[in-house]
Structures are given as C-alpha cells and as structure tokens.
Amino acid sequence: MNQSTKVRIALIGVGSMGKKYATMLDMEKISNLTLTTVCCRSKENQNWVKENLSERVKLYQSSEELFAHHEEYDAVLIVTPHKQHPELAIKAFELKKHVFCDKPAGISILDAQRMEQAQKESECKYAMMFHNRTYPVLKKVKQLLDDGFVGEIKRVQLVNTIYYRTEYYHNSGDWRSSWHGEGGGALINQGQHILDYWQWLFGMPLAIYASIPFGKYNSFAVDDEATLLMEYPNKVTATFLLSTGEIPREEVLTVVGTKGSIKVTGNEIELTSYSMDSMKYGKTAKTTSREEIQQTKELFICNEPKESYEQMLVNFGEAILRGKALIAPGEEGTKALELTNAAYLSAFLGERVSLPIDSARYEELFKQRIEDEKIK
C-alpha cells in the first residue's frame, strides 16, 4: 500500500451506529478510507445496505464469509454487540488486518487483553472509537492539567446524566441492558466514553468502591446508575456518578488543586486561580479562613464538538498510511473496561477492590449474574 492509496475498509455490523459509519464512508466523507465490504446478518439490515449504499460495496451475510474474502480490504471497523468484539478483532489481526473497534473492547478485561495480544503479534493498527477525546472542551482541560494549572490535584468530581434512556431504548435489541448480551448496563455502554476520558485526564486509580443500585429505574438486572469512589496516590479523592435514569440533564466535572480549580459544565470551563499555593497558605496565613488569599476567575466557552467520528476515522487512516499516532489506541479500551469490571466487582462483593483486579474472580461472579438473570 503506497502512501497515496486509500485504506480499504470492511464494516462488520449495520445497527444504528453501523449505518452511520457506513453512510459517511460510502459518501466519501473520510478522505483516506474507502468502504469496500459490509457484513450483517439480519435481512432487514441487508436490505438497508442494498437500498442505501453504492453498488460497489459488497455485502456478506456472515463474518465467516467476510473473512474468507479478506483480500478485498485492509482494515475492519467492528460495530457489533459488545461480546462479539474480541472474536472478530482477533480473527482480523490473524489475517493481518488493521482494526477499529467501537466501544467497548469486549465485556471483560480478559477479552481486552486477548485483543491487545493479538494486535501485538499482528503489528497492525488498533484503535478504539473514543471520539470524546476530540471534543474541544476536553482537549482544553487536558492541556490545562498537563500544563499544571491546578497544581497538585486534591479532588475530582464528575456527574453525568446526559444519556437518559427509555424502556423503548433498552428493548431495542435483545442483547441490550443485560448481563448475557451486553455484559452490563450504563457503565459498559454509555459509561465507556466517560471512563475513557476520565482515565485520559487523571490516569488509573489504585482502588474503586462502587455503589450500584442495579435496575434502579428499570426492571432489569444491570446498572442504570453507578456512583464510584476512586482512590489515587497522595490521598486524592475522586467521585464519579453516571445515571441514565434522570430527566434533568447535567454534565459537570470539577477538578480542585493546590493552585486553582477547573469546573466544566457542558462546553463551558470556569477557571479559578489562587494568589498562592493553597497548602502553603493554609500553613502560613495569620487568619482563620481564606480572607488573605485572592481568587481570580476566568470563563472559557469552547466550540461544540464537530465531526468527531470523522476525525477519529481520518486519524485511523493516517495511522495506517503515514504512521500518525492514534487518538485512542486499543489499549485505552482495556483501561476503560478494567474500570468497569472493577466497579462491577466492587458492587458484587460490596467492598473496595484494588487495581489490577482479580480477573478470574470477576469472571466467576459475572457468570453467576448471567445465571441469576436467566432465572428471573
């Protein structure tokens, strides 16, 4: 493949997101990728492909059939139900194909690690669709933290209720919102994006304690709300709340440090800087409170996210053609999934769990949840 060639890509899965990717690729909105083949099992989605995509795009009814014609593409974009991701990605790597995987990287940390190992052996590119990393507001926060604006981080708090989901949504696929099909609920679905940018900004915690009232808003066995308490070195405390059952829309991230604080509300960033380091002030001030320290506030309004999926796909093509660094390499999917598995394990056990987690113990308890779900 010379550097001026477009990457030929195969799409596996034509659900709601698969249709979105297929359309943008077929309409040539991605300058360095060309859609050559599509794979989907259902007759309904096969008809959609025939009616909506170009005749040049070949249609296969199974992944086995697709992989049997691997000479027709250089990379795959996997957009199937979660638990199918590892098997498909590993087979693609065995065929020396580059892989772009929609979140999550499977349903367990063992899945994700197998995918990583297969990628290393193949030496192909492996990307995760964590498009939030392209959002201007999060890129600005990342820059501020890397530049040391807040000094030493002391506390982090995140509240996210933007992904409200109805029973109609939960029933839109027989695999959704279940242990047996999706591998969990909000944390392994919508939460993957948030947990990814969380660890992108703050790194991985030492331990997690999770309070998860499974089926709080719905009559299923998985999570529609989760509150996580994360422990970091140097007594940094961090709380993470995700809910898909609250009508009010809230998206607030607060970072408090020794030199200042960052409060992110949607696309707005409120910065507060201190006239001196707060730890030093606390030890030297000749007053009982904050009277002698000045706080300076500044407000940034960031642009709305634009063409985030397109940016991720173009980046994938550039990584293959020109060796550009991936925005979200595959191992980032492993990290987000480990945070999810750790939270579930903590909730199963009712106790704090350290990272890395006991993956065998998680698998055992996870399988028990599937059995309990079948009984109910």
Side-chain angles (χ1 to χ4, degrees), residues 69-81:
H69 294 83
H70 58 86
E71 72 283 352
E72 297 174 354
Y73 50 89
D74 312 299
V76 298
L77 173 56
I78 300 171
V79 202
T80 61

Side-chain angles (χ1 to χ4, degrees), residues 70-96:
H70 58 86
E71 72 283 352
E72 297 174 354
Y73 50 89
D74 312 299
V76 298
L77 173 56
I78 300 171
V79 202
T80 61
H82 304 166
K83 66 180 181 181
Q84 298 173 12
H85 293 180
E87 178 185 354
L88 295 170
I90 290 168
K91 181 62 178 179
F93 286 133
E94 289 173 349
L95 294 170
K96 304 298 182 182

Side-chain angles (χ1 to χ4, degrees), residues 204-209 229-232 238 339 342 352-355:
M204 295 290 281
L206 301 175
I208 289 179
Y209 176 80
L229 176 63
M230 304 193 205
E231 298 176 18
Y232 283 84
L339 290 173
R352 168 189 178 276
V353 298
S354 298
L355 278 71

Side-chain angles (χ1 to χ4, degrees), residues 117-135:
Q117 183 59 37
Q119 181 272 324
K120 289 174 184 175
E121 293 172 3
S122 73
E123 298 183 345
C124 293
K125 300 296 181 183
Y126 174 27
M128 291 295 299
M129 186 56 85
F130 287 141
H131 63 283
N132 293 54
R133 293 187 180 208
T134 69
Y135 288 9

Side-chain angles (χ1 to χ4, degrees), residues 170-237:
H170 294 299
N171 293 333
S172 62
D174 58 6
W175 61 278
R176 282 202 182 279
S177 307
S178 65
W179 294 114
H180 72 275
E182 195 162 17
L187 284 173
I188 207 164
N189 188 339
Q190 297 82 9
Q192 290 297 283
H193 290 299
I194 313 168
L195 289 168
D196 171 65
Y197 74 70
W198 174 284
Q199 67 85 16
W200 182 51
L201 295 174
F202 310 115
M204 295 290 281
L206 301 175
I208 289 179
Y209 176 80
S211 175
I212 303 179
F214 294 105
K216 179 174 180 176
Y217 295 98
N218 299 274
S219 57
F220 49 50
V222 295
D223 49 306
D224 45 23
E225 178 182 295
T227 301
L228 315 182
L229 176 63
M230 304 193 205
E231 298 176 18
Y232 283 84
N234 301 318
K235 298 183 181 180
V236 175
T237 51

Side-chain angles (χ1 to χ4, degrees), residues 216-282:
K216 179 174 180 176
Y217 295 98
N218 299 274
S219 57
F220 49 50
V222 295
D223 49 306
D224 45 23
E225 178 182 295
T227 301
L228 315 182
L229 176 63
M230 304 193 205
E231 298 176 18
Y232 283 84
N234 301 318
K235 298 183 181 180
V236 175
T237 51
T239 54
F240 176 105
L241 184 142
L242 169 66
S243 174
T244 59
E246 296 182 11
I247 291 295
R249 181 187 177 97
E250 187 175 10
E251 185 179 19
V252 181
L253 171 65
T254 304
V255 187
V256 179
T258 57
K259 293 182 179 179
S261 67
I262 301 171
K263 184 176 182 180
V264 184
T265 305
N267 290 311
E268 295 185 3
I269 304 176
E270 182 184 274
L271 301 179
T272 303
S273 56
Y274 315 147
S275 56
M276 66 183 296
D277 184 280
S278 63
M279 296 297 287
K280 182 179 180 181
Y281 172 79

